[in-house]
């Protein structure tokens, strides 16, 4: 077992939300003596929006959920998540397994099959433990309770070293609504035993179409703005469920001002969850917060920010708390974005280190001390426009190699 | 000092080539007690072709050489390379330094300034040791000798753990010509102390225009088909010089059949040099040779091959000799290339491990043993066309972190 991440955070205090209950159970397949199956049940139709991995080799649950979402009357009544086997590249058997699980839940609760969402995380390409999971569905149902949030957050863990959650409130018009969620992941991917799954719940009353837009825009600045190792999971998903219990006024569309606080809060919570994934990154000791400003487009800014956050040389410099701006310049230059280095300014921890194509004078040992912190801000100003983007990355340490070079067995 | 790479190769036996001499000297700037300046002198105009880094923040020698090559009557009479300072992001002073060095050589030999090529490798953004280098040019001239190939290969080393060269012969028509070269590099980049510089010499008589095409096509399959850490140096360059001493027949154009053997041989030598760089990769213990076949275009094939070779998760699996094909599937899927996994076949060391979207049955412990070798072949067949590409990568080990997380001082 890997040691707990030094950047771990305790779980927040979850409140029960009317209309949703959580049950967990042991499948005794990959893990022993721990719950590794999560069943979520909605007592009435919940609205739902979701975003998924861009990997061209998506897992079966990803394809399954996409189909549920594209159903004309899409809503959710249940969610089943197992940890230990990702159900990716498992062929025809894997597809049948997903279908059998959904059928069983459909029958137990008498709910439509297209209202049952699935998530799987764990090893790729190995036979899916269908029977063990089918057998554990009933025990999970029997344990359904509105209080089981922490159990739920723990049941979906794989290589995670701590459970992760976030809570908050927002106003829709004058109505206060709750938002709570949990996430698992400790690497954008480790096909052995990881992926990123996020589930967010709100008692707000909102149509799925609006919820879809809200989770999509929030993901762009949270789950899609973090990188552990530049590798993209085959199973990543973030689903947002609205329980439709609050008596909030109904927005006309996404841009209705009554939605602005809710949209901001969802963004804050998804960012908090995304950063928790990063803080549990394999071997992580320090985060970087890369902001690229004065770019000619947001795409350019994000491309450069990721080129920096994904560079092994930048990541190893961060591990050494080294303000090695030459590596930042290199990463900007290799991003493929056309820029003029005469207008570029680079700063670490608020201290400018390079501008106009050359080094500035600064106190290097002072800056090294400042960089020995949990989150190092790196700002790159391109002097080329008004657009900007920010992403979060982490350092690359020997522990990452330890975790990932080991055999799967 | 880092230990020698376990994959090191001895230098080949270089023959003198008529028309070119090498001199080396100590600048006593970054390094002590070793030659770190190389002067190459051509007694008559040499034809020249070159390829350079795609980094948008090129070093001053890169810009300088590009200008020499774009001169209407481009030819080479001298080359000056220093190790220890890359002359990148050094502002106006760096540009002046380059100009002063070229002026001094122009004066000493009475040759046109645009016939003098420059190369620099080492730290980025630090003041260039202009005076030390200017002072060492005369001692380097005094040591000029046709025998100094090994000294030359050693003088341009930085974090390299061994000197690297390759030799060969080719026919142009019925005339046998020699080709010899050396290279430095031990990471696609480490802006602290590394970059890739390759210099290739032939006694063949060829115009610069043909030479340019030959080195460009060769680089595409050699220097541009290797990756240590996915980072792209600001100073990479490969120059090919034809001394115009051999009495070979003149080709009409690149496709003239009398050139085919020479073109093949240049490709072989550049590939040998490129693989030597990889074999000196920081912390390397094992190479991967990734071949993507049955792609719909060469671009697609190369994109997927690099997505595999650059994936930290594939690289760490390689370090553990783990036939973790799930990570290969993930890397194919994240490349952005549209593919149908139903037609994909993946093999390690000639053994098929996955096809048609699922795992094949194979003897995993036997395959793990087979993978404990210097170069692991990985073949991905997309079942989607006739195009293919191959690239070479290396594993990611703790030593890479050791080398790159250390302070620059």
């Amino acid at each position: 077992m890997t040691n707990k991440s030094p950047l771990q955070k305790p779980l927040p205090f979850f409140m029960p939300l009317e209309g949703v209950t959580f049950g967990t159970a042991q499948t005794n397949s990959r893990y022993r003596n721990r719950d590794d199956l999560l069943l979520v049940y909605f007592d009435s139709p919940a609205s739902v929006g979701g975003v998924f991995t861009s990997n061209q080799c998506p897992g079966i649950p990803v394809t399954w959920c996409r189909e549920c979402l594209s159903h004309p009357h899409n809503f959710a009544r249940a969610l089943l998540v197992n940890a230990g086997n990702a159900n990716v590249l498992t062929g025809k058997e894997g597809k049948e397994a997903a279908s059998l699980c959904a059928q069983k839940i459909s029958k137990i609760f008498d709910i439509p099959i297209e209202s049952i969402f699935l998530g799987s995380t764990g090893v790729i390409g190995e036979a899916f433990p269908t029977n063990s999971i089918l057998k554990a569905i009933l025990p999970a149902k029997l344990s359904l309770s509105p209080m089981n949030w922490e159990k739920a957050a723990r049941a979906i863990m794989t290589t995670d070293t701590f459970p992760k959650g976030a809570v908050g409130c927002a106003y829709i018009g004058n109505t206060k609504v709750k938002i709570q969620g949990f996430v698992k992941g400790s690497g954008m991917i480790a096909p052995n035993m990881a992926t990123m799954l996020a589930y967010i719940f709100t008692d707000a009353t909102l149509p799925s179409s609006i919820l879809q837009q809200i989770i999509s825009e929030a993901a762009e600045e949270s789950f899609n703005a973090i990188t552990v190792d530049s590798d993209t999971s085959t199973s990543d998903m973030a689903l947002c469920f609205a329980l439709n219990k609050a008596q909030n006024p109904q927005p006309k569309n996404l841009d209705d001002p009554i939605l602005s606080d809710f949209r901001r809060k969802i963004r804050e919570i998804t960012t908090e969850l995304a950063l928790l994934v990063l803080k549990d990154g394999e071997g992580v000791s320090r985060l970087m917060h890369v902001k690229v400003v004065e770019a000619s487009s947001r795409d350019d800014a994000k491309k450069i920010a990721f080129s920096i956050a994904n560079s092994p040389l930048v990541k190893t410099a961060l591990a050494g708390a080294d303000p090695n701006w030459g590596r930042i310049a290199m990463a900007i230059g290799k991003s493929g974005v056309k820029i003029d280095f005469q207008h570029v300014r680079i700063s670490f921890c608020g201290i400018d280190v390079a501008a106009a194509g050359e080094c500035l004078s600064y106190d290097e040992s002072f800056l090294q001390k400042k960089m020995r912190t949990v989150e190092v801000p790196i700002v790159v100003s391109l002097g080329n426009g008004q657009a900007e983007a920010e992403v979060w990355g982490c350092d690359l340490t020997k522990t990452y190699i330890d975790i990932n070079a080991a055999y799967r067995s």
Side-chain angles (χ1 to χ4, degrees), chain A:
Chain A
M1 188 62 193
T2 315
N3 290 333
K4 279 200 178 170
S5 165
L7 309 182
Q8 67 178 292
K9 294 262 177 186
L11 270 182
F13 187 70
F14 290 107
M15 296 289 289
L17 287 190
E18 191 195 338
V20 61
T21 49
F22 302 89
T24 59
Q26 296 185 18
T27 69
N28 289 312
S29 43
R30 177 167 284 263
Y31 304 112
R32 302 276 155 186
N33 306 318
R34 61 156 276 204
D35 288 358
D36 54 0
L37 188 73
L38 165 65
L39 178 66
V40 183
Y41 177 66
F42 305 100
D43 67 8
S44 60
S47 306
V48 55
V51 288
F52 303 93
T53 181
S54 61
N55 196 300
Q56 298 282 314
C57 171
I60 286 162
V62 168
T63 313
W64 180 277
C65 289
R66 281 191 180 128
E67 276 169 23
C68 291
L69 284 179
S70 68
H71 196 270
H73 306 289
N74 67 314
F75 60 88
R77 288 298 305 272
L79 164 70
L80 183 76
V81 187
N82 71 289
N85 188 308
N87 203 0
V88 176
L89 294 166
T90 42
K92 219 173 64 175
E93 285 76 13
K95 267 184 210 168
E96 276 167 15
S99 183
L100 286 171
C101 290
Q103 277 167 33
K104 177 143 190 176
I105 295 170
S106 167
K107 206 169 144 193
I108 291 176
F109 293 103
D110 189 23
I111 54 178
I113 197 156
E114 66 272 14
S115 72
I116 300 158
F117 287 73
L118 300 175
S120 293
T121 173
V123 71
I124 276 184
E126 283 186 11
F128 193 72
T130 319
N131 286 332
S132 314
I133 290 176
L134 285 173
K135 256 188 256 168
I137 288 176
L138 214 54
K141 175 184 185 275
L142 292 175
S143 77
L144 282 173
S145 154
M147 306 304 288
N148 279 345
W149 288 81
E150 177 169 346
K151 277 191 175 174
R154 287 186 184 276
I156 63 171
M157 287 167 59
T158 54
T159 49
D160 301 62
T161 72
F162 62 94
K164 305 166 186 72
V167 305
C169 288
Y171 282 93
I172 300 180
N174 288 322
T175 312
K176 199 171 175 180
V177 299
K178 293 191 195 105
I179 308 168
Q180 299 188 152
F182 45 84
V183 66
K184 63 108 3 199
S186 71
M188 272 303 259
I189 184 184
N192 283 346
M193 288 298 279
T195 203
M196 195 213 76
L197 304 179
Y199 301 109
I200 297 150
F201 305 84
T202 174
D203 55 357
T205 300
L206 289 170
S208 292
S209 56
I210 291 268
L211 211 56
Q212 180 61 52
Q213 294 175 72
I214 291 174
I215 186 71
S216 294
E217 70 172 5
E220 169 68 10
E221 294 182 14
S222 55
F223 302 123
N224 294 336
I226 57 169
T227 177
V228 170
D229 52 16
S230 80
D231 281 337
T232 310
S233 163
T234 50
S235 305
D236 283 346
M237 65 165 68
L239 295 176
C240 184
F241 302 96
L243 305 167
N244 298 320
K245 301 291 180 186
Q247 305 295 324
N248 55 272
Q250 284 305 291
K252 289 187 200 70
N253 53 43
L254 182 71
D255 295 319
D256 194 320
I258 63 165
L259 264 186
S260 58
D261 188 53
F262 184 80
R263 285 165 70 186
R264 185 171 49 241
K265 200 70 204 177
I266 289 277
R267 230 174 13 241
E268 276 173 33
I269 285 192
T270 54
T271 303
E272 200 177 330
L273 292 175
L275 290 184
L276 285 169
V277 171
L278 211 51
K279 282 173 182 158
D280 206 3
E282 289 159 340
V284 69
S285 80
R286 187 169 288 134
L287 303 192
M288 61 176 130
H289 182 183
V290 184
K291 210 166 163 176
V292 175
V293 301
E294 297 187 9
S296 60
S297 73
R298 185 174 151 76
D299 266 9
D300 278 3
K302 203 163 181 178
K303 203 180 274 179
I304 288 175
F306 268 129
S307 182
I308 293 167
N310 279 326
S311 158
L313 287 169
V314 172
K315 288 161 72 72
T316 46
L318 186 70
D322 180 8
N324 194 329
W325 65 270
R327 296 187 183 178
I328 303 282
M330 172 282 300
I332 298 169
K334 79 161 181 169
S335 68
V337 175
K338 295 261 173 224
I339 36 123
D340 179 355
F341 265 89
Q342 286 308 308
H343 301 135
V344 172
R345 181 173 286 267
I346 300 169
S347 83
F348 285 95
C349 300
I351 296 173
D352 286 347
V353 293
E358 56 192 306
C359 194
L360 299 171
S361 109
Y362 60 93
D363 182 342
E364 183 151 336
S365 68
F366 173 73
L367 183 48
Q368 280 166 356
K369 267 184 221 132
K370 255 182 104 86
M371 283 180 69
R372 298 210 163 277
T373 181
V374 170
E375 189 172 321
V376 172
I378 299 172
V379 179
V380 173
S381 172
L382 300 178
N384 197 26
Q386 254 90 62
E388 58 182 64
E390 45 192 317
V391 312
W392 289 266
C394 63
D395 56 356
L396 174 60
T397 69
K398 290 185 187 182
T399 313
Y400 180 85
I401 316 274
D402 272 333
I403 296 170
N404 288 299
Y407 282 174
R408 282 164 295 171
S409 48

